[in-house]
Amino acid sequence: TRPKKAAATSKEELPAADSQADTPPQDDTTPAKQTKRARAKASPKAEAKAVADAAAPEGEKDAKKLRRMNTPKRDKDSPLPRSLTPRQVVPEGTGKTLKVLSLNVAGLRSVLNGDKAQILKALVERELPDIFCLNEHKLKQEDVEENEAKLKELLPKEYATMHWTCSTAKKGYSGVAMIIRHSLDGETGVISAPAEVEVTPGMGELGEGDTIAAEEGRILTMELPQLVLVSTYVPNSGQDLGRLPYRVDRKSEHCWDRNFAKYVSTLRESKKKPVVVIGDLNCCAEVQDIWNMYDRPDFPEGLAEKPIADQYLGLTSLKKSAGLTPEERESFPKMLKEADLVDTFRALHPDASGVFSYYSMRVVKNRSMNQGLRLDYVLASSSLCAHLRPSAEGGAAKDEAPAGDLPVPRIQDSFILDEDDLVADHTAVGCTIVL
């Protein structure tokens, strides 16, 4: 049945796809062979693939078949293997670079008052981001001053300017923050006059009348001389998928994916600057982003080539898990296209597998077994990404042109810090931008 339309304030959001990340699906049987009738109804994409396969040289077809036959079955008692995704080194003489980091802390108060505070501190001290974004801080406006003071005491002294947006629709819920690093004495700052940088909450006019976008503290936008940065915590569709229509139904009065794409496009056009979007986007776009997909016999190439709705054979329970529904996964690339955004991590590491940004805490083994989801992203306007080339596993991406001939600003690196100690149930994601 069609999910009911979400109320202005929904139940507390649960982590996306918790039930699916806790235990393997029970119905992961090998897909049955298609009947002639089913084959007759194959999708145009599948038909095109069949034509291409038939036209491929015999040697190429034999190689694909041999590769599938020789691929060893995964040892389910061992962690999912992780691809190498090396950090991209900034060439010497490049000039200024901006590093942005984002982390869903699932409640900042509990982090600051517990042993996870030292993990957060170590992360910032090691990475030294110029801008550090927090998702789901869950602070009420009246609690910001106290917790900002604790955060300033914890982090290096140069993290002196902080911007907050809090949920007014529901207390202790959602919330986004941006923390700006000041330059030390004698250091050339990446951001000049950080205390004067303009930061605005919400979607502006596009959020008017939309209580979720306007009142739940889900967006902060920072304008820099070279680009616009948007930190966002996208609404979870909910355990009962009550907010799914709001997320993806572009014909409804209020639709997050539609309006967010318009918001990003409006920023790009009105400011005449490229846009970078970072945060917890609560959607797994590719089959490699969902650990449950890894045991399918046609993972990853064959599975990824199927229409999204056909990727759930033997995994039908995933269709009803927030962040994993066919509707969200079909809407996500539409949103990217409408906003002229690129998934920067996939631009650099298109075939990477076993790289996740979320691990459910409900089952202890999820982290140790590398059973996670990729819900957190760095997206960027296509003009920032035109030079990007996929990196060979184990090596750095190679630019075709000398560094001096490449456009600025541009994305230099996009990374997921999934091998770090966890502050909460998400890992940090980030990017380096040449200005």
Side-chain angles (χ1 to χ4, degrees):
T1 59
R2 181 179 176 85
K4 295 180 179 179
K5 187 174 182 180
T9 56
S10 68
K11 296 179 180 179
E12 181 69 42
E13 293 180 42
L14 294 177
D18 255 347
S19 60
Q20 301 312 318
D22 289 345
T23 55
Q26 301 299 309
D27 54 348
D28 60 345
T29 55
T30 302
K33 291 183 178 179
Q34 285 186 313
T35 63
K36 290 182 179 179
R37 184 176 180 183
R39 286 195 296 269
K41 294 183 178 181
S43 68
K45 185 175 181 179
E47 290 176 354
K49 180 181 180 298
V51 171
D53 287 346
E58 287 299 322
E60 184 178 328
K61 288 188 285 186
D62 291 343
K64 286 184 179 180
K65 183 177 180 181
L66 187 63
R67 190 162 59 246
R68 286 195 298 267
M69 291 174 60
N70 291 337
T71 300
K73 288 189 176 293
R74 183 175 74 86
D75 179 3
K76 295 187 180 182
D77 293 326
S78 299
L80 280 173
R82 185 197 189 281
S83 297
L84 296 176
T85 55
R87 300 281 285 270
Q88 308 300 306
V89 178
V90 179
E92 290 185 11
T94 297
K96 285 186 179 182
T97 59
L98 177 77
K99 182 187 282 188
V100 185
L101 206 64
S102 178
L103 177 65
N104 182 319
V105 294
L108 182 60
R109 184 196 297 272
S110 63
V111 172
L112 294 177
N113 293 335
D115 56 1
K116 299 294 186 182
Q118 293 306 311
I119 299 177
L120 180 65
K121 179 181 179 182
L123 169 68
V124 175
E125 288 178 340
R126 187 193 73 225
E127 292 293 330
L128 290 177
D130 299 296
I131 303 169
F132 185 32
C133 303
L134 300 179
N135 288 173
E136 201 179 4
H137 59 64
K138 295 185 177 181
L139 296 180
K140 300 188 291 291
Q141 188 61 51
E142 55 265 34
D143 296 330
V144 166
E145 184 177 355
E146 174 190 349
N147 287 276
E148 180 174 306
K150 289 182 179 180
L151 197 55
K152 287 182 176 179
E153 184 178 347
L154 176 72
L155 300 180
K157 64 180 182 180
E158 56 264 38
Y159 290 92
T161 296
M162 302 186 179
H163 296 269
W164 305 82
T165 181
C166 303
S167 171
T168 56
K170 185 176 181 179
K171 302 294 185 182
Y173 180 72
S174 188
V176 173
M178 281 180 157
I179 304 168
I180 308 175
R181 181 177 183 267
H182 290 235
S183 58
L184 297 173
D185 292 340
E187 182 183 54
T188 301
V190 176
I191 301 175
S192 59
E196 300 174 14
V197 172
E198 182 181 355
V199 176
T200 55
M203 280 193 204
E205 293 182 0
L206 285 166
E208 292 180 359
D210 181 342
T211 55
I212 296 175
E215 300 177 11
E216 291 190 358
R218 294 189 173 276
I219 295 177
L220 281 176
T221 300
M222 177 186 296
E223 184 176 1
L224 298 173
Q226 304 89 347
L227 55 86
V228 178
L229 177 66
V230 179
S231 175
T232 184
Y233 174 44
V234 172
N236 188 302
S237 290
Q239 191 173 29
D240 60 354
L241 300 184
R243 287 189 167 187
L244 181 60
Y246 170 75
R247 279 284 302 272
V248 304
D249 185 359
R250 284 165 168 76
K251 295 180 180 179
S252 64
E253 181 181 3
H254 302 298
C255 170
W256 178 277
D257 283 6
R258 180 196 66 209
N259 285 352
F260 187 74
K262 286 182 179 179
Y263 177 64
V264 171
S265 296
T266 300
L267 286 174
R268 188 186 67 251
E269 293 165 3
S270 63
K271 305 292 185 182
K272 300 188 185 309
K273 298 175 184 179
V275 180
V276 174
V277 175
I278 192 168
D280 178 358
L281 304 192
N282 263 317
C283 181
C284 289
E286 309 288 344
V287 296
Q288 293 96 327
D289 301 333
I290 307 170
W291 80 266
N292 314 70
M293 296 279 189
Y294 280 57
D295 289 327
R296 303 311 308 143
D298 53 353
F299 177 91
E301 292 178 358
L303 194 60
E305 288 170 349
K306 294 179 179 178
I308 287 176
D310 295 343
Q311 294 172 0
Y312 296 83
L313 186 62
L315 298 168
T316 53
S317 56
L318 295 186
K319 290 184 175 182
K320 297 181 180 180
S321 295
L324 309 183
T325 66
E327 293 87 348
E328 289 165 296
R329 295 181 60 220
E330 288 169 353
S331 179
F332 190 84
K334 292 179 184 177
M335 184 268 291
L336 295 187
K337 184 176 181 180
E338 291 164 359
D340 186 36
L341 291 172
V342 174
D343 178 351
T344 59
F345 179 79
R346 282 289 169 219
L348 284 168
H349 309 288
D351 300 321
S353 60
V355 186
F356 306 115
S357 68
Y358 166 78
Y359 298 88
S360 170
M361 296 290 193
R362 294 189 175 190
V363 175
V364 175
K365 73 172 186 176
N366 279 344
R367 183 69 197 283
S368 62
M369 296 297 286
N370 196 26
Q371 296 178 168
L373 306 171
R374 187 171 77 104
L375 298 171
D376 304 79
Y377 296 77
V378 179
L379 310 177
S381 294
S382 61
S383 62
L384 294 171
C385 306
H387 66 289
L388 291 180
R389 300 293 180 268
S391 63
E393 185 166 337
K398 299 294 184 183
D399 290 318
E400 293 182 349
D405 296 337
L406 293 171
V408 289
R410 67 177 184 271
I411 296 290
Q412 176 68 26
D413 191 18
S414 181
F415 49 87
I416 299 174
L417 302 180
D418 56 312
E419 296 177 297
D420 286 1
D421 291 334
L422 291 178
V423 173
D425 48 8
H426 287 253
T427 71
V429 300
C431 67
T432 303
I433 306 168
V434 178
L435 299 178

